Amino acid sequence: MVRRVAAVEGAEMVPRGSDERPDDDDGADDFVIPPGHCWVLADNPDLRPPNVIDSRSFGFIPMSNIVGRVVYSGRSATEHGPVTNSPLAQVVDAPVLENEVDPEELFAEIGGGGEDNGGEGTGRGGEGDAKRE
């Protein structure tokens, strides 16, 4: 499953509704991410629990459960490109993008491969996204 890390330990979260709170919440206006954990969200803002599988459904997750990050998003032959991560991650990911990601090969089966969207990437972490582990 690919989800966006929305907050890490120590971050204060202010939910927009009662369905955006952890199960063990005390009902306060906000909550803090506990040590060693994070809060992950799906990128479709129209989905709400129970129709979405993210921290709004299952709560905090241990950082040790994170096995990689999305470096390239490939939604279609015309909508694809590098995902904007932190500046340090972009430096680390540059050789992976240069040597291991071939858009023409990724989209050869669906036709029209090789075109890009100006390197913007969707960053949505949806299906079809390449993940580095």
Side-chain angles (χ1 to χ4, degrees):
M1 170 175 18
V2 176
R3 292 291 180 257
R4 177 175 44 90
V5 175
V8 295
E9 66 180 64
E12 182 177 324
M13 299 290 291
V14 179
R16 291 183 294 187
S18 61
D19 61 351
E20 293 188 355
R21 309 184 77 71
D23 289 337
D24 61 352
D25 185 44
D26 62 6
D29 289 339
D30 56 7
F31 59 93
V32 176
I33 309 299
H37 289 77
C38 65
W39 189 262
V40 298
L41 294 173
D43 282 332
N44 184 340
D46 297 330
L47 291 177
R48 312 293 298 169
N51 299 319
V52 66
I53 301 172
D54 63 15
S55 287
R56 294 172 290 176
S57 299
F58 52 72
F60 308 111
I61 65 166
M63 291 295 289
S64 60
N65 287 3
I66 298 175
V67 296
R69 74 175 159 266
V70 175
V71 298
Y72 197 89
S73 175
R75 298 180 65 80
S76 73
T78 57
E79 289 185 72
H80 60 88
V83 172
T84 303
N85 288 307
S86 71
L88 175 60
Q90 288 178 291
V91 170
V92 171
D93 296 341
V96 174
L97 291 167
E98 184 176 329
N99 297 304
E100 297 182 31
V101 178
D102 181 354
E104 289 196 22
E105 183 180 330
L106 285 172
F107 299 104
E109 289 185 24
I110 60 173
E115 300 144 23
D116 72 28
N117 64 359
E120 292 298 313
T122 62
R124 296 185 181 187
E127 290 183 350
D129 288 347
K131 182 175 78 168
R132 182 178 148 220
E133 295 193 42

